[in-house]
Amino acid sequence: MKTLGLPFSDAVIVDDIIYLSGQIGNLPGTLDLAPGGLQAEAKQAIENMKAILEANGSSLDDVIKVTVMMADIGEWGEFNQEYIKYFTAEKKPARSAFGTSGLALGARLEIECIALKRK
């Protein structure tokens, strides 16, 4: 995975817990947002989370907590349409969400999570 030299770690591991920094819907290795609006950004942000988790010995199935920050909380339903493709009824982590007045690079959303590291 190409590093962009940003002033934070993609993930920090403490014991068997992985703390992921917030992910926006930027295309891998770039600061360009996925084209297509909220759902495209949501899909890319979750794919970014998935790649970082897998690089650190985990997976989306190991996520225990998700926090979602949205530029417009009114897009919550549209976001959920993409979210449920990755986090099904059988495997739903705890989740919090809130609206914000702005996100990096003009993103529509940012997602962070906490996951268990496989032993």
Side-chain angles (χ1 to χ4, degrees):
M1 180 180 292
K2 180 181 175 187
T3 181
L4 296 175
L6 300 173
F8 55 86
S9 298
D10 285 335
V12 172
I13 301 171
V14 178
D15 296 325
D16 290 331
I17 299 186
I18 303 172
Y19 299 87
L20 255 68
S21 291
Q23 298 299 307
I24 60 173
N26 62 300
L27 299 169
T30 77
L31 295 176
D32 299 324
L33 295 172
L38 176 78
Q39 278 190 269
E41 286 185 41
K43 178 179 181 178
Q44 188 61 60
I46 296 169
E47 288 291 334
N48 293 347
M49 284 176 35
K50 180 180 174 186
I52 295 167
L53 288 169
E54 290 175 354
N56 286 281
S58 190
S59 73
L60 290 175
D61 287 341
D62 299 310
V63 173
I64 56 176
K65 175 70 166 88
V66 173
T67 302
V68 183
M69 296 148 273
M70 300 188 70
D72 180 356
I73 200 70
E75 295 177 320
W76 182 245
E78 190 177 346
F79 165 73
N80 276 328
Q81 290 176 11
E82 196 62 37
Y83 183 86
I84 62 173
K85 295 175 185 176
Y86 293 90
F87 298 103
T88 63
E90 297 80 35
K91 190 68 175 174
K92 293 188 289 189
R95 184 173 76 172
S96 301
F98 54 90
T100 182
S101 65
L103 294 166
L105 305 178
R108 304 298 310 148
L109 77 154
E110 182 171 338
I111 308 170
E112 64 180 27
C113 71
I114 300 170
L116 299 174
K117 182 173 173 67
R118 288 188 221 129
K119 297 183 181 198

